[in-house]
Amino acid sequence: MQSFLQFVNAGIGHFNRLIGWGLALLLLVMTVLIFWQVFARFVVGSPLFLSDEIARFSMLWLTFIGAGYAYRKGTLISVDIVLEYCGERVGRLMRILVVLCSAVFAFVMIKYGFELVGRVSSQTAPSTRISMMWPYLAIPAGGIVIMVNSLGLLIDEALGQPVHHHQEVN
């Protein structure tokens, strides 16, 4: 059983590596588009009409997918003072409870996110004329990333592996 859990956890690690590269690509797209928009507006004198909308949509995807990615890495803002003062057993129980609550939240994001995508799929964006389904699809996609990483965190707890938390810089 333990080897199966380690195998699943390794698969989740590869999934997150792909997600990380996708996030880097989205950030690159946003940076280039915003730079080009500023350059075109102030140097050339002719602003682009597509770049700000594509950058906005990229930021939506970056935010929702990035939240799930950061969740697994332990780099989201959290209030963990209770975990510092309670014992190991209560702390483990509380971490499991938090992960389960996050998984429920992710399920809600997935379920209602896909319903929302269905409702807006006939609408188009003003500049790019793409279906509004694509930017709204970031909501259930982010929920899926959170759900997958919730499973990974539960496996970490089951295997007794330390949770990867961001270290504070003094």
Side-chain angles (χ1 to χ4, degrees):
M1 181 66 166
Q2 187 173 5
S3 61
F4 174 73
L5 291 177
Q6 289 172 339
F7 175 75
V8 171
N9 224 4
I12 293 171
H14 292 302
F15 171 77
N16 280 323
R17 211 170 345 277
L18 286 173
I19 293 294
W21 281 105
L23 291 171
L25 182 65
L26 281 171
L27 186 60
L28 176 68
V29 166
M30 271 182 50
T31 304
V32 168
L33 285 174
I34 292 170
F35 174 79
W36 186 253
Q37 174 71 8
V38 170
F39 179 80
R41 178 172 290 162
F42 293 110
V43 176
V44 179
S46 175
L48 302 172
F49 64 94
L50 298 174
S51 63
D52 59 337
E53 194 169 271
I54 295 171
R56 236 186 343 259
F57 294 163
S58 297
M59 186 163 185
L60 282 170
W61 277 88
L62 189 68
T63 301
F64 280 99
I65 302 296
Y69 182 79
Y71 177 55
R72 172 72 172 166
K73 300 286 184 184
T75 55
L76 291 176
I77 294 175
S78 65
V79 180
D80 55 359
I81 192 165
V82 175
L83 290 175
E84 290 180 21
Y85 290 106
C86 64
E88 177 62 33
R89 188 174 179 154
V90 173
R92 185 172 189 200
L93 183 65
M94 289 184 70
R95 283 191 304 272
I96 290 171
L97 183 64
V98 166
V99 170
L100 291 174
C101 288
S102 297
V104 168
F105 175 70
F107 176 76
V108 170
M109 283 178 65
I110 295 166
K111 182 181 184 316
Y112 292 107
F114 278 124
E115 287 182 16
L116 186 61
V117 165
R119 277 190 241 132
V120 299
S121 62
S122 62
Q123 299 174 12
T124 57
S127 295
T128 57
R129 306 303 298 164
I130 65 170
S131 171
M132 288 303 289
M133 170 188 77
W134 295 109
Y136 278 91
L137 199 58
I139 298 169
I144 290 169
V145 174
I146 292 171
M147 186 73 78
V148 168
N149 285 319
S150 293
L151 176 64
L153 291 171
L154 286 175
I155 291 173
D156 285 347
E157 286 295 329
L159 294 175
Q161 294 177 348
V163 180
H164 304 287
H165 286 291
H166 180 66
Q167 298 296 322
E168 289 184 24
V169 178
N170 293 328

